[in-house]
Amino acid sequence: MTNTFFVLTGGPGAGKTTVLDLLREEGHSGTVEAGRAVIRQQSAIDGSALPWKDPAIFADHMLTWEMRSHDLARENGGVTFFDRGVPDVIGYLRLSGLPVPIHVERAAERYRYNRRVFVFPPWEKIYRPDEERHQDFAEAERTFEFVRDAYRDVDYQCIEVPMLTPAERKRFILEQIRA
């Protein structure tokens, strides 16, 4: 049941994965972020599905990853926290100036999550580029806007996660899903 699927999303480096790790430590199910996973896999084989090589192919790989994560969560049942979701691919494509193919739109219609989506705003104090995150903070801010708008456009309610400690952010999310 997708009503128990909760997405954590936003721009890069906003603290989503840190909070998801805390949720996992508490025994909740959680997914792996598609973008980072695809970058790791493609970098290991010098593949072309990288955002700096071919953004459209990268988007298709992320879409496949997100659909598989959704299918696996459905098989496992129960509450699952997603480190991004299918609508993130729409936001990424728009940010990249690419058209959103009809199959991506169909995926956003078919692979649904709880209507309440937790959006992490850009937070310069904690933002750090790394081997997989090449964006500067200005691009992180733009990514946040495109991703948030993509979720709104496919009928999700975006709940902004306050800039608190990771433990307080985790508590905020758990309180919201229990309300």
Side-chain angles (χ1 to χ4, degrees):
M1 176 173 199
T2 60
N3 199 39
T4 60
F5 290 2
F6 294 94
V7 174
L8 309 184
T9 192
K16 300 174 301 301
T17 304
T18 300
V19 172
L20 182 58
D21 288 344
L22 291 177
L23 289 163
R24 278 194 197 101
E25 287 174 13
E26 201 170 277
H28 297 284
S29 293
T31 67
V32 174
E33 182 185 351
R36 280 189 175 273
V38 170
I39 289 170
R40 279 188 203 117
Q41 289 178 339
Q42 290 293 303
S43 294
I45 63 169
D46 195 26
S48 61
L50 293 163
W52 50 88
K53 285 187 176 181
D54 192 327
I57 293 175
F58 176 66
D60 269 342
H61 279 251
M62 286 194 303
L63 177 64
T64 299
W65 187 283
E66 294 296 1
M67 292 186 311
R68 183 171 185 272
S69 293
H70 195 282
D71 289 342
L72 290 171
R74 201 170 28 231
E75 288 174 14
N76 292 334
V79 172
T80 301
F81 291 95
F82 288 77
D83 195 338
R84 302 191 178 278
V86 170
D88 279 84
V89 178
I90 294 172
Y92 171 76
L93 287 164
R94 290 176 179 169
L95 174 69
S96 300
L98 297 169
V100 178
I102 191 72
H103 71 277
V104 176
E105 291 176 6
R106 275 192 229 117
E109 290 171 12
R110 179 172 180 204
Y111 291 85
R112 300 294 295 178
Y113 309 88
N114 187 288
R115 189 164 184 281
R116 293 172 294 161
V117 171
F118 296 97
V119 183
F120 287 64
W123 191 357
E124 194 164 17
K125 179 181 172 186
I126 67 169
Y127 180 82
R128 299 286 177 272
D130 59 31
E131 287 184 28
E132 293 143 5
R133 182 184 301 132
H134 295 177
Q135 305 96 325
D136 61 19
F137 186 71
E139 188 170 349
E141 291 176 308
R142 287 190 307 277
T143 302
F144 166 79
E145 293 168 9
F146 277 92
V147 166
R148 180 198 57 212
D149 291 349
Y151 276 91
R152 287 178 177 165
D153 290 348
V154 293
D155 200 31
Y156 287 96
Q157 174 193 3
C158 294
I159 299 171
E160 192 164 307
V161 177
M163 294 178 189
L164 302 167
T165 67
E168 291 168 323
R169 290 173 129 188
K170 177 195 77 168
R171 190 170 30 259
F172 172 82
I173 290 167
L174 291 174
E175 287 170 359
Q176 292 292 315
I177 70 170
R178 291 180 184 132

